[in-house]
Amino acid sequence: MNALGLIEVYGYLGAIEAADSALKAANVKLIDCEKVRGGLVCVKLTGDVGAIKAAVDVAEEKTKNLNVYVSSHVIAKPDDSLKKILEINKKIKTESKKEIIKEEKSKVSKIETDNKIIFTKEELELKTVEELRRMVRNIKSSMSNKQIKYARKDKLIEELSRYYKRGNK
């Protein structure tokens, strides 16, 4: 990594504009586009010092036209330990994305009775609490009307799952 360019903007739209204009302006590579906090997004670029300076200048100008520019900085020769920090951040992001995918896959487990699918957990999650309450009232549930009235979504889904797993239709 010869140089590191950082451009901080408000919002994803500003980040896309900054990255696009920087990549078109000079021979640089996009490292990352990181959501910082409070709507701030940091675009990270790498390349030759001159190319990074030119790319950051163009991106700064374009994002100022959109009124989303916050700040920018060019580090000419970043230390090797800075490379490690950037790599660690990438690994953390990849691992958290993998965890999210695993969670989504686990939600798709199906409620089955006699090998017949009634609802998937995902389908029940998409229903409103009122719809779930109506469904629970229409089955032979161990919950009282008062319990159904004040039950949270997860409890209602749990009750429906139990009912269908017992083999009731």
Side-chain angles (χ1 to χ4, degrees):
M1 178 179 350
N2 298 338
L4 176 66
L6 304 167
I7 307 154
E8 201 167 53
V9 295
Y10 284 113
Y12 193 66
L13 174 71
I16 295 296
E17 178 63 32
D20 182 54
S21 58
L23 292 169
K24 288 177 181 175
N27 187 20
V28 296
K29 290 183 182 178
L30 179 67
I31 297 174
D32 194 12
C33 186
E34 181 181 351
K35 293 178 189 173
V36 181
R37 62 176 165 72
L40 289 177
V41 182
C42 182
V43 178
K44 300 173 188 175
L45 306 164
T46 186
D48 293 333
V49 178
I52 287 292
K53 284 184 180 179
V56 169
D57 288 343
V58 169
E60 180 180 334
E61 184 182 316
K62 293 281 187 172
T63 54
K64 279 183 178 177
N65 290 340
L66 290 174
N67 293 324
V68 294
Y69 176 78
V70 177
S71 66
S72 60
H73 188 66
V74 174
I75 301 173
K77 292 185 181 179
D79 189 54
D80 290 336
S81 59
L82 186 59
K83 292 178 191 175
K84 291 177 186 175
I85 291 172
L86 293 173
E87 289 173 10
I88 289 170
N89 284 344
K90 275 188 179 180
K91 285 180 184 176
I92 290 170
K93 279 186 177 182
T94 334
E95 288 172 6
S96 65
K97 284 180 185 177
K98 287 178 183 176
E99 287 175 20
I100 290 169
I101 290 168
K102 283 180 184 177
E103 288 174 15
E104 290 300 317
K105 285 183 179 177
S106 69
K107 284 183 182 177
V108 183
S109 62
K110 299 171 182 170
I111 301 171
E112 296 182 19
T113 62
D114 301 329
N115 296 326
K116 188 177 180 183
I117 299 168
I118 306 298
F119 288 103
T120 63
K121 296 236 182 198
E122 189 176 58
E123 289 172 332
L124 291 175
E125 287 286 338
L126 294 174
K127 294 195 176 293
T128 64
V129 176
E130 277 303 311
E131 290 173 321
L132 292 171
R133 285 183 178 140
R134 268 189 236 115
M135 290 173 70
V136 172
R137 284 187 186 108
N138 289 333
I139 63 172
K140 294 177 184 176
S141 171
S142 60
M143 294 175 77
S144 68
N145 281 336
K146 189 174 183 178
Q147 289 174 321
I148 295 171
K149 182 178 179 180
Y150 295 107
R152 293 189 328 252
K153 192 174 199 172
D154 59 330
K155 293 292 179 187
L156 295 168
I157 291 172
E158 186 179 306
E159 183 66 22
L160 287 166
S161 298
R162 251 185 294 182
Y163 176 79
Y164 289 117
K165 284 181 181 176
R166 286 188 300 227
N168 301 316
K169 295 180 182 179

